[in-house]
């Protein structure tokens, strides 16, 4: 198996050959016939001006990825890949309550602080995920003793965390995934721990508290399940827009909306008017749109052939980004990790039932950090944006 370093060396050589023409082939190589006359696309240089980061920048976008921070700390090749491809990073889990606050009186900022320094060294932005989610709620706050003080803990937590990073994060996912129609609550609100303990105004409270503690970060409402032209997505889009309009009417500070963008390959329903109209509605509210957690779940692709799967996955990225990037309100595009090695989809809810023996190939780089068709689809999608 070719390593990443060998791949990069080969890519640089391919680029040099392409730039110099056939002369270099003869001049620079003792055995020119051993070099294939046409180099496969994946062997061209994908770094520097050919990275996702650079192509996004040329079209008014910032591209980046979520990372599990210890992977950046433990694996220099992965850290190099992130530095090369990303203009922004976000930690997948280390800013959630359960990771950040192991006890009521103890915060652990060590890993996110590391990532912030890493981002600075690589001239990247960083975003925060998330101040308020129905998952990753620590056990200590759910005890009979602490539960009655949830509102106080909530305000104090958001204040402390936002102040710690004040002025240093591009944006915060202040509230994540607050809508779940099947819970049967007014406005389609999810019956989360926060909803039940604080009441429906926990969302306004979170945004107001975040703004007071960090006036610079763009405050974002982030949610999933809005991407398709189907009834489920349409209902979720309507409920989210109602929520956001209500917040604006009440003067709640809000700057952006995150569309998670966990999409599926081999799904007959296409992306289209529903998504386009949703993004346009958000733009008309004066808000920015961020694609915050993009990946392609490929468990439903029938063939096991990796070449065919990669092509279908890549086409899904193209189809999705064609609609999403058409609107200038979209400013950030982040994949939920950059390499198949670390995708959460291998431990997702249905993967072990559907494809127990087939690791996901859902991201732009494979397990060995080599670019796949998805990389080129994403990069071409950036280039098609005006
Ligand atoms: O890093 C530790 C590792 O050291 C330890 O040995 C192992 C043992 O279980 O756990 C590892 O931590 C896991 C972490 O992912 C990193 O792999 C946590 O247990 C696991 O709970 C955590 O899951 C994350 C999940 O959110 C819950 O926080 C996923 O990585 C992350 O991708 C997922 O992200 C969510 C978004 O926040 C919201 N949208 C959906 C998205 C996917 O579910």
């Amino acid at each position: 198996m070719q390593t990443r370093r060998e791949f990069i060396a080969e890519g640089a050589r391919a680029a040099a050959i392409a730039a110099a023409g056939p002369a270099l082939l003869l001049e620079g190589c003792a055995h020119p016939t051993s070099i294939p006359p046409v180099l496969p696309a994946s062997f061209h240089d994908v770094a520097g001006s050919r990275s996702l980061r650079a192509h996004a920048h040329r079209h008014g976008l910032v591209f980046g990825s979520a990372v599990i921070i210890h992977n950046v700390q433990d694996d220099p090749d992965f850290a190099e890949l992130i530095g090369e491809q990303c203009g922004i990073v976000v930690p997948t889990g280390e800013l959630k309550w359960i990771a950040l606050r192991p006890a009521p009186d103890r915060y652990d900022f060590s890993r996110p602080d590391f990532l912030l320094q890493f981002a600075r060294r690589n001239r990247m932005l960083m975003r925060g995920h998330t101040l308020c989610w129905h998952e990753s709620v620590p056990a200590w706050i759910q005890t009979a003793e602490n539960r009655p003080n949830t509102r106080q803990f909530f305000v104090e937590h958001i204040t402390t965390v936002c102040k710690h990073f004040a002025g240093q994060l591009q944006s915060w996912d202040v509230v994540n995934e607050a809508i779940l129609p099947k819970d049967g609550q007014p406005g389609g609100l999810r019956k989360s721990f926060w909803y039940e303990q604080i009441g429906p105004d926990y969302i306004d409270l979170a945004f107001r508290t975040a703004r007071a503690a960090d006036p610079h970060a763009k405050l974002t409402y982030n949610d999933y399940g809005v991407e398709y032209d189907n009834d489920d997505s349409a209902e979720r889009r309507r409920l989210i827009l109602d929520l956001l309009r209500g917040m604006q009417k009440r003067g709640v500070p809000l700057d952006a909306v995150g569309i998670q963008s966990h999409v599926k390959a081999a799904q007959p329903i296409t992306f289209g008017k529903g998504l386009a109209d949703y993004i346009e509605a958000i733009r008309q509210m004066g808000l920015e749109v961020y694609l915050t957690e993009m990946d392609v779940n490929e468990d439903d692709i029938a063939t096991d052939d990796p070449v065919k799967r990669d092509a279908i996955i890549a086409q899904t990225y193209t189809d999705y980004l064609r609609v999403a990037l058409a609107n200038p309100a979209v400013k950030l595009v982040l994949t939920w990790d950059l390499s198949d090695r670390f995708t959460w989809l291998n431990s997702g809810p249905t993967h072990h039932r559907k494809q127990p023996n087939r690791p996901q190939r859902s991201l732009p780089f494979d397990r060995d950090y080599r670019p796949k068709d998805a990389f080129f689809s994403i990069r071409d999608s950036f280039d098609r944006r005006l």
Side-chain angles (χ1 to χ4, degrees):
M1 178 64 71
Q2 191 188 35
T3 66
R4 175 170 162 75
R5 285 189 196 288
E6 286 163 353
F7 168 77
I8 291 170
E10 195 156 348
R13 178 169 164 65
I17 290 168
L24 186 73
L25 268 180
L26 300 169
E27 197 185 88
C29 183
H31 306 286
T33 49
S34 66
I35 296 173
V38 178
L39 290 150
S42 61
F43 282 73
H44 286 281
D45 190 3
V46 297
S49 64
R50 290 167 161 254
S51 63
L52 293 173
R53 171 184 182 152
H55 279 246
H57 182 73
R58 270 177 233 140
H59 298 276
L61 292 164
V62 180
F63 172 80
S65 174
V67 293
I68 297 165
I69 298 176
H70 71 74
N71 293 334
V72 178
Q73 293 173 311
D74 298 348
D75 182 343
D77 285 348
F78 183 63
E80 186 182 322
L81 180 74
I82 292 292
E84 170 188 288
Q85 298 296 332
C86 294
I88 188 164
V89 279
V90 61
T92 56
E94 295 83 350
L95 285 170
K96 291 169 182 166
W97 275 68
I98 204 162
L100 204 57
R101 199 170 177 187
D105 54 352
R106 196 159 73 79
Y107 290 84
D108 179 1
F109 288 108
S110 53
R111 279 196 163 139
D113 282 350
F114 166 86
L115 189 63
L116 189 57
Q117 292 312 316
F118 174 81
R120 285 221 178 109
R121 277 201 307 280
N122 288 281
R123 301 188 325 283
M124 293 187 284
L125 303 169
M126 177 165 148
R127 63 189 312 268
H129 173 88
T130 167
L131 295 167
C132 175
W133 192 30
H134 62 281
E135 287 188 35
S136 300
V137 179
W140 61 257
I141 202 175
Q142 301 180 60
T143 60
E145 184 198 351
N146 285 334
R147 230 184 5 244
N149 303 319
T150 299
R151 190 184 180 97
Q152 194 185 320
F153 281 122
F154 186 76
V155 170
E156 185 248 316
H157 180 90
I158 294 175
T159 304
T160 305
V161 175
C162 287
K163 279 199 168 153
H164 181 86
F165 294 106
Q168 303 184 84
L169 299 188
Q170 180 272 337
S171 56
W172 262 113
D173 286 335
V174 179
V175 174
N176 189 43
E177 305 176 0
I179 295 293
L180 192 63
K182 76 173 170 58
D183 279 358
Q185 299 304 298
L189 291 182
R190 183 191 292 269
K191 261 173 106 176
S192 66
F193 174 77
W194 311 111
Y195 176 86
E196 293 198 300
Q197 299 306 314
I198 301 174
D201 76 322
Y202 83 93
I203 298 175
D204 292 7
L205 181 63
F207 278 85
R208 291 189 200 280
T209 308
R211 177 68 97 228
D214 181 358
H216 299 289
K218 304 252 190 184
L219 305 186
T220 308
Y221 176 77
N222 191 46
D223 216 326
Y224 66 89
V226 298
E227 295 84 0
Y228 287 100
D229 275 0
N230 64 17
D231 292 348
D232 276 1
S233 278
E235 183 185 21
R236 293 182 58 82
R237 288 191 291 262
R238 182 180 59 72
L239 290 165
I240 293 170
L241 288 174
D242 285 353
L243 170 72
L244 303 175
R245 289 188 181 115
M247 288 168 69
Q248 284 196 325
K249 251 191 218 145
R250 295 188 295 275
V252 176
L254 173 68
D255 304 301
V257 180
I259 299 178
Q260 289 190 4
S261 315
H262 294 292
V263 297
K264 286 187 176 184
Q267 188 147 300
I269 317 153
T270 49
F271 313 105
K273 189 167 161 33
L275 178 65
D277 288 354
Y278 180 63
I279 296 175
E280 178 57 17
I282 297 168
R283 189 189 71 77
Q284 287 182 13
M285 294 169 72
L287 305 172
E288 297 190 336
V289 175
Y290 305 154
L291 311 183
T292 49
E293 306 185 12
M294 187 170 65
D295 54 21
V296 174
N297 186 331
E298 57 127 341
D299 281 347
D300 293 333
I301 296 181
T303 174
D304 284 339
D305 179 348
V307 174
K308 291 186 181 146
R309 281 157 60 202
D310 281 358
I312 297 169
I313 293 163
Q315 187 61 46
T316 309
Y317 276 107
T318 300
D319 293 347
Y320 182 68
L321 290 173
R322 179 178 293 128
V323 177
L325 296 185
N327 195 307
V330 177
K331 304 292 183 194
L332 301 182
V333 178
L334 291 99
T335 48
W336 204 240
D337 220 303
L338 200 56
S339 157
D340 294 338
R341 182 182 287 246
F342 304 122
T343 177
W344 73 285
L345 290 167
N346 285 335
S347 45
T350 55
H351 180 72
H352 292 295
R353 180 169 51 77
K354 288 187 173 179
Q355 297 291 354
N357 304 313
R358 204 177 81 178
Q360 289 260 353
R361 299 181 60 82
S362 54
L363 290 165
F365 288 85
D366 74 6
R367 298 183 64 79
D368 299 301
Y369 310 151
R370 293 168 306 190
K372 299 180 305 172
D373 294 354
F375 170 96
F376 297 98
S377 271
I378 297 171
R379 203 175 67 174
D380 290 349
S381 300
F382 294 160
D383 290 344
R384 272 192 294 272
R385 180 158 144 136
L386 299 175

